Amino acid sequence: MKNKKIFIVLLMCITLLIGFLSACGQDTDSNNSTDNDLEESEEKHEKETKTFEAANGTVEIPSHPERIIVVADSYVGYFLTLGIQPIGVSDFSMENRYFEGKLDGVESIGESNNPSMEKMVDLNPDLIITFNDANAVENLEKIAPTIAINYGEKSYKEQLKEFGDMTGREKEADEWIEQWESKIAEWKPKIQEIVGDQTVSILSPFSKGIYAFGHNFGRGGEIIYDEFDLKAPETVQEIAIDSGEGWADFSLETLPEIAGDIIFTCPWSGDEADPEHVYGSKLWEELPAVKQDRVIELDPDAAFFNDPTSLDQQLDFIIESLQNNA
């Protein structure tokens, strides 16, 4: 009888011990599960965001941003080329005829140098693209991760590749560059043969004189000088192109010196000066290009843009113009 009681007590102890060990195992599994969930969550967060080196420092951005506001006019067409329609752009971008039909449903945020902060907050962006202005960036960063860009620091091909990397659209960037270079390779020798040794200038009257544009400041310069490698007047080549600036301003008196055998021109879109102080002057009327009807008029708003979407259409215009006027 005594032995039977001892056996029962031992059996109860063993049962309790097994239950205790089982509970410990469950706690361990639970802790491991929690740790695994935490690791998976952290890994997922890392995949959903990435860091990007911008002019305003290291910025954490979505890996695949979907709601992008492009404050800086110059970069809207890059995103369109990548197959991304921004949710908000400036008024000036809305006026670019090269974007016609591509910004349907996109909201205007006002002027690029003074956008509506309230409008942008309402749009709930996950990424904002802007020029590198410290005061503007500081305000925009309160709304969403903001990438600031130094205009002209990269070529348009480099800039497209950067945006492709930023948005996970590397393939689309490479495809555009490939087709673009194919078109340039086809047309460059034809245009060089048509133009020959003639010089080409890109001029815009403004309130204090004349701007001459070079190889990287819009108005078709990227195509005329950089891709087709056409000759600029010597002074323009030295001051606007070789300097790397992409533009230079001149007084009216220097017009004969900076005017090429072929002139692309439009009023400067940055002020409201009357362009007739140049176009109506005797100096202008006496230029060989004017007398020989080799002046090609640019759209003053659209000519500002040098993004891939705009360049595609500018290329067609420049080719046709040079075929008809050279």
Side-chain angles (χ1 to χ4, degrees), residues 61-72:
I61 65 172
S63 294
H64 298 279
E66 297 178 353
R67 299 184 60 80
I68 303 174
I69 290 178
V70 185
V71 178

Side-chain angles (χ1 to χ4, degrees), residues 191-211:
I191 293 300
Q192 287 186 335
E193 183 178 358
I194 290 170
V195 177
D197 289 332
Q198 296 179 96
T199 57
V200 182
S201 57
I202 307 169
L203 306 177
S204 281
F206 74 111
S207 59
K208 298 180 181 179
I210 309 162
Y211 285 126

